[in-house]
Amino acid sequence: VFSLNAFAQKPCEFSVNVKDSIGTYKETKSAIVHEFVFGNTSKHIFFALTSTDDMPSLSVLIIQKSKDFLKVNCFDKNSRIYLQLENNKVITLIASEQENCGTPVSDDLGFNNRILSGNFFFMKGTIDDLKTSPVSSMRIKFSTESQDYIIKNLLLSEMDQKTYFPNSYFIDFLPCVID
């Protein structure tokens, strides 16, 4: 039995791409990798890949919105992101040292909003697997609990009406920040 998996890199689009006397910094445009919308509650998880002087990292943004009380989750130095790949390997990303419990944001429509961001570093030897195997699920370890997410092949976002391909995110965009 012979099978061929062909993956085409998406065009690289950057929100930041700076090279100066201090060094280089690149950040890809954000992409939605998980979306949950039910009634008056929604949760969106965005990824952006960054590279600081050729050191890649993953920038994570979680936006929650609800008419109800929003539970606070925090990132701290012990936070992790675990990515289960389709090749059955588990990749661990390690949080930066910064503790962050997000920012509450009010709006005129009576929604409670919370924006949480964090930066996660790739462990040595894990990037090659991420470049070749799609992601099937993700576990985010916050400071007090873990949450699991199924990563879809295709996601038509209710937020911006765009189509995303979350499971091939790293295959598509790691080449943008890694030479």
Side-chain angles (χ1 to χ4, degrees):
V1 175
F2 177 76
S3 68
L4 176 66
N5 290 328
F7 297 107
Q9 180 194 338
K10 302 265 189 228
C12 295
E13 292 184 54
F14 297 98
S15 57
V16 180
N17 192 356
V18 178
K19 186 173 190 169
D20 60 21
S21 60
I22 299 170
T24 61
Y25 180 79
K26 295 182 198 177
E27 182 174 316
T28 61
K29 285 191 172 180
S30 291
I32 298 173
V33 295
H34 178 78
E35 181 177 77
F36 173 81
V37 179
F38 185 81
N40 286 327
T41 301
S42 66
K43 182 178 197 173
H44 296 83
I45 301 176
F46 295 82
F47 281 177
L49 287 166
T50 61
S51 176
T52 306
D53 298 327
D54 297 323
M55 174 75 151
S57 62
L58 179 67
S59 194
V60 178
L61 180 70
I62 301 174
I63 300 175
Q64 294 175 274
K65 186 176 195 168
S66 180
K67 294 263 185 175
D68 300 322
F69 174 79
L70 286 173
K71 183 175 180 190
V72 176
N73 282 312
C74 303
F75 290 134
D76 64 14
K77 66 181 185 346
N78 297 314
S79 292
R80 303 284 184 265
I81 293 179
Y82 302 101
L83 302 169
Q84 171 81 50
L85 305 184
E86 287 184 6
N87 68 6
N88 288 326
K89 291 189 179 175
V90 176
I91 304 297
T92 302
L93 286 83
I94 300 170
S96 66
E97 294 289 319
Q98 289 180 299
E99 183 170 281
N100 183 352
C101 293
T103 306
V105 179
S106 57
D107 65 22
D108 298 337
L109 303 172
F111 280 94
N112 296 310
N113 303 287
R114 180 164 287 279
I115 300 170
L116 174 64
S117 61
N119 207 31
F120 291 81
F121 297 104
F122 297 95
M123 292 179 63
K124 186 174 177 145
T126 60
I127 289 179
D128 286 341
D129 283 314
L130 285 170
K131 282 181 172 178
T132 56
S133 183
V135 177
S136 58
S137 62
M138 171 174 66
R139 172 172 290 162
I140 299 178
K141 181 182 178 293
F142 297 99
S143 57
T144 56
E145 69 172 359
S146 294
Q147 293 179 0
D148 294 336
Y149 305 92
I150 299 298
I151 302 299
K152 296 180 178 179
N153 295 339
L154 182 134
L155 173 68
L156 177 56
S157 173
E158 291 185 37
M159 177 185 252
D160 63 9
Q161 308 307 308
K162 291 182 182 176
T163 301
Y164 295 92
F165 301 93
N167 78 331
S168 64
Y169 176 81
F170 294 100
I171 293 167
D172 295 337
F173 298 109
L174 268 172
C176 297
V177 295
I178 297 174
D179 296 329

